[in-house]
Amino acid sequence: NAGVTQTPKFQVLKTGQSMTLQCAQDMNHNSMYWYRQDPGMGLRLIYYSASEGTTDKGEVPNGYNVSRLNKREFSLRLESAAPSQTSVYFCASSSDRGKNEQFFGPGTRLTVL
Amino acid sequence: GEDVEQSLFLSVREGDSSVINCTYTDSSSTYLYWYKQEPGAGLQLLTYIFSNMDMKQDQRLTVLLNKKDKHLSLRIADTQTGDSAIYFCAASGAGSYQLTFGKGTKLSVIP
């Protein structure tokens, strides 16, 4: 039982390049989330998926797209990376909207030059 | 929207108790959480409290909730060097998918 896994762990991009961050969970959770963490800013929600087939914007969705491929997988795409997207990205999942106990992956550290 | 505030730094001596404080603005928040983040790692859920409770104890951890003042605290008894980490407070509204996080309190434990 691996919990929430994320790939890659580290990535360096040049401005304008694109990439997809992958996330998978093996806990049979319905809901999945993408956050970014910046120094002094805490965690900010980019997008979430309440259930398979649905996605919704969070606090900071501009410059990102997401795909809920199936119940297990939720990917985050940067179509044209910008230096402002340099951050640590965390994926999380939860089973129960009521208690909303979220389990986090180890993160992807992204640098955009 | 919801706003969650925490002090940024706390330093304690090994063996002492640590108290990390948090305030939130939305009185309809139903669950409040404490997460721990060690360097280079993701967030680990430590504990949570439902809004109709005023205290929850789990081994060395005690959570106190003052709903009237919208104030949450996390007490760590007998603090150890392994407790050094960033601690995040988070709040969730009724039926909401979204958690609102504070900026995190960096706890440093002095041996």
Side-chain angles (χ1 to χ4, degrees):
Chain A
N1 190 335
V4 180
T5 57
Q6 294 183 236
T7 55
K9 285 188 166 48
F10 302 94
Q11 184 71 49
V12 179
L13 292 178
K14 293 181 179 176
T15 297
Q17 287 185 317
S18 62
M19 80 160 296
T20 299
L21 281 64
Q22 306 286 354
C23 173
Q25 53 92 7
D26 61 4
M27 296 175 282
N28 201 35
H29 285 170
N30 288 318
S31 304
M32 297 185 73
Y33 310 81
W34 277 105
Y35 293 89
R36 60 178 289 172
Q37 183 180 28
D38 302 293
M41 297 292 290
L43 273 81
R44 293 181 292 170
L45 183 65
I46 305 171
Y47 270 93
Y48 68 97
S49 170
S51 60
E52 187 178 351
T54 69
T55 60
D56 284 284
K57 294 178 181 179
E59 184 186 349
V60 289
N62 290 345
Y64 305 96
N65 286 302
V66 290
S67 295
R68 183 75 183 267
L69 304 167
N70 48 55
K71 192 170 185 179
R72 289 188 62 247
E73 298 172 291
F74 188 38
S75 62
L76 178 72
R77 182 158 178 85
L78 287 71
E79 289 292 350
S80 179
S84 61
Q85 294 178 305
T86 293
S87 188
V88 182
Y89 291 86
F90 290 101
C91 178
S93 68
S94 68
S95 62
D96 176 357
R97 184 177 71 171
K99 196 163 63 177
N100 202 5
E101 191 177 346
Q102 294 188 17
F103 296 84
F104 283 77
T108 294
R109 187 173 295 274
L110 175 67
T111 302
V112 183
L113 302 174
Chain B
E2 174 87 85
D3 192 23
V4 177
E5 298 281 343
Q6 313 176 227
S7 52
L8 295 182
F9 301 99
L10 177 65
S11 183
V12 299
R13 292 205 174 274
E14 190 173 17
D16 287 351
S17 291
S18 308
V19 179
I20 303 171
N21 294 300
C22 169
T23 58
Y24 59 99
T25 56
D26 189 348
S27 57
S28 68
S29 293
T30 51
Y31 282 95
L32 296 131
Y33 310 81
W34 284 104
Y35 282 85
K36 176 183 180 183
Q37 185 181 33
E38 296 180 356
L43 277 71
Q44 172 195 355
L45 179 65
L46 284 178
T47 188
Y48 65 89
I49 188 166
F50 187 53
S51 58
N52 69 352
M53 300 168 64
D54 53 18
M55 186 179 89
K56 182 178 181 182
Q57 187 148 7
D58 184 0
Q59 299 183 327
R60 293 191 298 123
L61 305 179
T62 303
V63 178
L64 295 178
L65 175 61
N66 181 326
K67 198 172 177 184
K68 174 176 165 289
D69 293 338
K70 297 194 277 290
H71 182 269
L72 183 73
S73 67
L74 174 70
R75 178 176 180 269
I76 305 172
D78 186 25
T79 311
Q80 302 298 306
T81 54
D83 295 322
S84 293
I86 300 175
Y87 291 81
F88 290 92
C89 172
S92 179
S96 172
Y97 289 99
Q98 301 195 36
L99 295 186
T100 301
F101 286 84
K103 291 182 169 55
T105 299
K106 184 173 183 179
L107 173 65
S108 298
V109 181
I110 305 162

